Amino acid sequence: MGLHKPDNVAGSSAPAIMVGLFVATGGLLFGYDTGAINGILAMDTFKHDFSTGFTDENGRPGMYPGQVALIVAMLSAGTTVGALLSAPIADQWGRRLSLIFAIGIFCIGAIFQVAANNVALLATGRTLAGVGVGMVSVLVPLYQSEMAPKWIRGTLVCAYQLSITAGLLAASIVNILTYKLTTAAAYRIPIGLQLTWAVILAGGLLILPETPRYLIKRGYKEAAGLSLSRLRRLDITHPALIEELAEIQANHEYEMALGPDSYKDIIFGEPHLGRRTLTGCGLQMLQQLTGVNFIMYYGTTFFNGAGVDNPFLISLIMQIINVVSTFPGLFVVESWGRRRLLIVGAIGMAVCQLLIASYATASGDTDIPTQHRILISFVAVYIFFFAASWGPVVWVVTSEIYPLKVRAKSMSVSTASNWILNFGIAYGTPFMVDTSAEAANLGSRVFFVWGTFCILSIAFVWFMVYETSKISLEQIDEMYERVDKAWHSRDFEPSWSFQQMRDFGFSESGIPPAQPQLELQSSNASSSQSDTGGSSTTNATTTTTTTTTTSSQDDKMLSQMGHIDLSY
Ligand code: BGC
């Protein structure tokens, strides 16, 4: 399954895995906060306490549609703002402090909501909590990818999606448990509970290390060494650690030699930043256009409208499938790779959706139990494919494909495009499905729309997504330089050493001189390098260049390390 640490990886991956899994639980806030509101809005006590005069057809107090839209939409507005804010903050304060800050804003938002006794205060709390969630949604995968060893990087980011799904499930369960209460506790408990995990997460982050890559970006080489030493459980003087750090630094210098790191550069900059940003934004938008949140947000209403018995239970079952099915993705993301998993997932989702839509069109919207069973089964299989592929892998790919200099900026823009579409779909779906005069009355045929986007997604992955498994974040730069077609990326073998390239001067095109020329230069320059103690070892696939003046002890160490993979 590819979840065993390769024998030739130096040090221990356990600290990085534990840190990565702990930070992944930031996804709980994301899932819980987006999931809790639907149930809360449906609670009688909530409607009674917040109604400003609106009554439903049975004369019971309720909310004006504009108020419901405000409460729901403010979270999305907040998340988009939060995602965009996260980049300047993360580049200035670091990934870890920014995460603590984001959780702080989230907590203030949650406290506003718990204390709210009117719509204005509630909407303000939702906006603030949204800003926090939006920031978390960029910073967690950013933090994880920048500290993880390459062999398990994708799996760790998948664990973040697992937490999102667990948060969504937890929100439904808590709502079910409290909705019958006749006091304000019915909605205050579900809102307040999210504070518990937020505080634990922020507390834990206080003692976790900053990512080595961020520290290199800011020029704090020593601190980067200490951080990497904690994460890899290797002494700061260990050659493998020195090598990893030197390669990260040389790669960053290489990126900077190709141009600045401004917002303009995420589109026009090198190496191929426009293509990479487009890939991330496209993936994030398509993830939403697969229609998953139609089920997550409107599942109960949809099953109810289709005449299914016990729509609450069915929605809960879908949430459980969503959590459990993330595991297969988590186990195969490294061995299958990102591209294959995304393509298989999109095919599976498209087939389910087109079958649901075709069946619904052919049989009409009748109230037949067999039809319900077919509908429920295909929705369940669809959720399986989403949860095992596009749910986690989109976060994985967008946390990997950008170079360090613009990583936070590009991730924040692509994640913001996810939230904008998230909002658009949450807001627009009722207009597509409803039976009212202004709506398109698509019913189950709305699955034609999602199915079509899934087919588009297959093509998008084939043409745009590069295979990023098994190589280090630095080697991904080399891949974008050397492989011009995404569908050839699977066969890519890294061969550049950014240190060697730096030592002999980056060429303007960013492409290093031919290998024999480098080797020649390397042997001429060897003695001066050993004087400064600079490491001139190349990465995994190239040979180690030893110098004539290296001490015999170093020689012994290097020969013992011949089998060690120095490119994490
Ligand atoms: C998506 C969310 C969605 C969730 C469902 C996430 O990856 O970004 O919009 O609600 O998956 O599990």
Side-chain angles (χ1 to χ4, degrees), residues 72-82 127 130-131 419 423:
V72 174
M74 287 325 271
L75 183 91
S76 312
T79 49
T80 309
V81 172
T127 315
V131 171
W419 285 114
F423 166 71

Side-chain angles (χ1 to χ4, degrees), residues 30 161 164-165 168 287-288 292-293 296-297 322 386 391 395 418 422:
F30 174 160
Q161 169 72 11
I164 298 178
T165 59
L168 281 161
Q287 190 213 43
Q288 292 298 307
V292 63
N293 286 327
M296 294 296 138
Y297 299 167
N322 193 27
F386 175 86
W395 296 107
N418 175 303
N422 185 318

Side-chain angles (χ1 to χ4, degrees), residues 10 42 62 65 75 104 121 168 170 193 202 205 212-213 274 292 341 373 406 411 439 448 474 495 562:
L75 183 91
L121 205 56
L168 281 161
L193 268 183
L205 276 163
R213 286 180 170 86
V292 63
L341 195 50
R373 273 196 289 274
V406 291
M411 275 185 75
F448 274 129
E474 287 65 42
S495 67

